[in-house]
Amino acid sequence: SVPLVVLAVATAWWWWPSTLGGATSYVFVSGNSMEPTFSSGDLVVVRQDDDVAVGDAAVFEVPAGERGEGALVIHRVVAVGDDGSFTFRGDNRARDDRWQPGADDVLGVEVAHLPGAGKAFMMLRNPLLLAIVAGALTFGAVVLDGRKGDEPVDADGDDPLDAGDGELFDGIAPVAP
């Protein structure tokens, strides 16, 4: 069980979101600038990386003081400047982005891509749909939990109706008054 605990802790650490102090960010793609690589509604998982290189698909925050300040953009690194700034371009674009984010502006590079998964998560933001999903899960848990105990067992875990010879006891045992 120790290896399973270690594996669980390592997995949680790897996927822990940056909003809670981790190194992983989850980005929902919006728009067509990265098609055909990423489409609107896809979920892209990115991790912080000190070695962002040309060719990496990365998420950056539009630097302060620039148009679109604070927006998150997922594009491909096409150049790294001597000053550590990056030049990005969408896969579906003919020109480089006008922004020149630095290393502190880059949230991370792509480690996983889940096509269409963003749409499913966005649907769960609808309170009615979320209530329906929660109700269905609760109902399923109650129904499945209610099935426990349908089969009678005695203290040894055996079927109390089994006479021992493979035949089931065919009657009802008398109950003392």
Side-chain angles (χ1 to χ4, degrees), residues 49-50 52 58-64 66 77 79-81 83-88 99-108:
D49 190 345
D50 293 334
V52 179
V59 173
F60 67 91
E61 186 174 352
V62 174
E66 296 194 32
V77 178
V80 180
D83 62 352
S85 65
F86 297 96
T87 302
F88 285 88
W99 308 293
Q100 296 288 309
D104 291 341
D105 299 315
V106 177
L107 272 67

Side-chain angles (χ1 to χ4, degrees), residues 72-114:
L72 297 181
V73 177
I74 182 166
H75 278 174
R76 195 164 308 280
V77 178
V78 294
V80 180
D82 293 336
D83 62 352
S85 65
F86 297 96
T87 302
F88 285 88
R89 180 186 316 146
D91 289 355
N92 193 22
R93 298 287 184 249
R95 289 189 227 139
D96 295 343
D97 294 343
R98 64 178 167 266
W99 308 293
Q100 296 288 309
D104 291 341
D105 299 315
V106 177
L107 272 67
V109 297
E110 172 201 4
V111 294
H113 171 220
L114 303 167

Side-chain angles (χ1 to χ4, degrees), residues 26-35 38-44 59 71-75 90 92-93 99 113 116 118-119 122 125:
Y26 302 87
V27 179
F28 299 111
V29 176
S30 176
N32 64 0
S33 67
M34 283 298 286
E35 288 183 351
F38 307 130
S39 298
S40 196
D42 290 356
L43 173 64
V44 179
V59 173
L72 297 181
V73 177
I74 182 166
H75 278 174
N92 193 22
R93 298 287 184 249
W99 308 293
H113 171 220
K119 291 177 184 175
M122 295 305 283
R125 294 180 69 184

